């Protein structure tokens, strides 16, 4: 299976430990974990040092000085620059990946710093990455009551730390069917591109994976976008324009938000 490198954009420590707990409990550990930040606050650096010691795996931190507005697209790109040794100026250092690792075209798994992955998520991304360049899962938006009952002991045993409701499962299934239908229609000769928008099936920026070569081929995210939302559609459209294919995994990979 392809190596998987996890990229976690964040600007706060609020849920970051739980996100990294999910990584620590994976049945297949990622090849690397990079946390990339929209600020250079020492609080995040110190927090990550504590979490890395607690969970026992290395975490690379990439930081940029906050410039008065969110630059999520740039923050994501900075993580890939760190992986490949392309960070500018005094941030430049030894690449996380060797040339041989880059040549293997690993999978980049993007996960927001307020999301928790089921224990087999990394392994599933690696397996599905053999079928297509882009893996499209989704996430469950948890309630306050669910989070109040978040059970870390269960997570550490490889179990889901809270109960996903039947209604939440139905919503995932409904979205999965809709995306799969878009995928089928998109490949119809002549009429497919006319009835399916060019960025669909769309990815969720907070949880998806894509091959490194594909990310580089489209020059990553467009850094003219600020905050979050529309940059995902733009990125997905450009990925599809390269001829890349996607695999729909909405009901197959559990992610708590």
């Amino acid at each position: 299976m392809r190596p998987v490198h996890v990229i976690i954009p964040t600007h706060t420590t609020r849920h970051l430990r739980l996100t990294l707990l999910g990584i620590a409990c994976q049945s297949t550990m990622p090849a690397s974990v990079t946390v990339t930040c929209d600020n250079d606050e020492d609080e995040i650096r110190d927090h990550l040092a504590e979490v890395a010691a607690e969970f026992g795996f290395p975490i690379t931190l990439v930081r940029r000085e906050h410039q008065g507005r969110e630059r999520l697209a740039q923050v994501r790109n900075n993580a890939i620059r760190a992986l490949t040794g392309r960070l500018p100026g005094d941030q430049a250092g030894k690449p996380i990946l060797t040339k041989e690792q880059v040549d293997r075209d690993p999978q980049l798994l993007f996960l927001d710093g307020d999301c928790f992955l089921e224990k087999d998520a990394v392994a599933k991304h690696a397996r599905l990455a053999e079928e297509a360049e882009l893996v499209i899962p989704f996430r469950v938006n948890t309630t306050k009551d669910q989070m109040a009952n978040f059970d870390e002991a269960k997570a550490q045993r490889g179990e889901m730390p809270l109960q996903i409701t039947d209604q939440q499962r139905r919503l995932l299934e409904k979205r999965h069917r809709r995306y799969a239908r878009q995928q089928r229609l998109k490949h119809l000769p002549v009429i497919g591109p006319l009835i399916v928008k060019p960025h669909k099936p769309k990815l969720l920026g907070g949880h998806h994976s894509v091959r490194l070569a594909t990310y580089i081929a489209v020059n990553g995210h467009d850094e003219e976008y600020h905050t979050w939302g529309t940059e995902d559609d733009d990125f997905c459209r450009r990925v599809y324009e390269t001829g890349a294919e996607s695999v729909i995994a909405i009901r197959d990979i559990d992610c708590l938000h």
Side-chain angles (χ1 to χ4, degrees):
M1 294 191 296
R2 290 177 185 272
V4 175
H5 296 268
V6 173
I7 313 296
I8 303 174
T10 190
H11 65 281
T12 175
T13 63
R14 184 180 178 191
H15 298 294
L16 190 53
R17 181 181 171 278
L18 291 184
T19 297
L20 292 164
L21 170 64
I23 300 301
C25 298
Q26 289 296 301
S27 59
T28 299
M29 286 297 290
S32 72
V33 177
T34 301
V35 173
T36 180
C37 295
D38 194 24
N39 60 57
D40 57 358
E41 297 175 2
D42 290 342
E43 179 188 11
I44 295 180
R45 180 201 63 193
D46 296 343
H47 180 67
L48 288 177
E50 293 174 1
V51 171
E54 178 185 2
F55 296 147
F57 65 87
I59 303 169
T60 298
L61 173 61
V62 178
R63 303 191 288 180
R64 62 180 289 282
E65 182 180 355
H66 189 63
Q67 298 171 0
R69 55 184 175 180
E70 295 179 35
R71 296 296 296 269
L72 177 57
Q74 184 184 93
V75 166
R76 287 180 179 144
N77 287 345
N78 281 347
I80 311 310
R81 293 181 178 116
L83 285 172
T84 57
R86 299 178 184 180
L87 276 172
D90 59 5
Q91 296 182 79
K94 183 178 179 181
I96 297 172
L97 304 184
T98 66
K99 182 180 182 304
E100 290 74 19
Q101 289 173 317
V102 170
D103 290 343
R104 291 183 65 187
D105 194 14
Q107 196 77 356
L108 307 173
L109 170 51
F110 289 89
L111 182 70
D112 279 355
D114 56 1
C115 291
F116 178 94
L117 290 178
E118 61 152 299
K119 70 179 180 67
D120 294 322
V122 168
K124 289 178 179 179
H125 274 276
R127 176 176 56 80
L128 293 171
E130 299 299 331
E131 301 179 20
E133 291 87 350
L134 180 63
V135 179
I136 301 181
F138 205 70
R139 66 190 184 192
V140 172
N141 290 317
T142 58
T143 66
K144 289 183 178 180
D145 287 342
Q146 284 176 312
M147 287 307 300
N149 292 300
F150 190 101
D151 190 335
E152 287 195 26
K154 283 188 175 181
Q156 291 167 351
R157 295 195 299 269
E159 304 171 19
M160 285 298 284
L162 56 81
Q163 182 68 41
I164 297 175
T165 68
D166 291 342
Q167 174 63 13
Q168 289 168 331
R169 288 287 183 202
R170 284 193 292 270
L171 289 173
L172 291 176
E173 179 66 30
K174 182 178 179 181
R175 186 180 293 272
H176 186 104
R177 291 197 305 267
R178 182 169 77 250
Y179 282 25
R181 180 173 180 272
Q182 292 170 349
Q183 193 174 57
R184 292 193 300 271
L185 293 175
K186 190 169 190 171
H187 288 87
L188 290 176
V190 183
I191 66 169
L194 300 177
I195 59 179
V196 179
K197 293 180 180 179
H199 67 285
K200 292 188 175 182
K202 64 184 294 180
L203 62 83
L204 176 73
H207 180 211
H208 70 278
S209 69
V210 61
R211 292 184 193 170
L212 174 61
T214 302
Y215 197 93
I216 292 174
V218 301
N219 200 28
H221 285 272
D222 185 342
E223 297 185 7
E224 291 300 311
Y225 285 94
H226 303 155
T227 67
W228 55 270
T230 51
E231 92 290 347
D232 296 347
D233 291 348
D234 171 77
F235 176 75
C236 199
R237 172 185 57 79
R238 290 186 288 112
V239 165
Y240 286 136
E241 285 176 352
T242 69
E245 296 288 346
S246 61
V247 56
I248 310 303
I250 291 170
R251 65 187 176 198
D252 302 317
I253 305 176
D254 285 336
C255 174
L256 306 177
H257 174 241

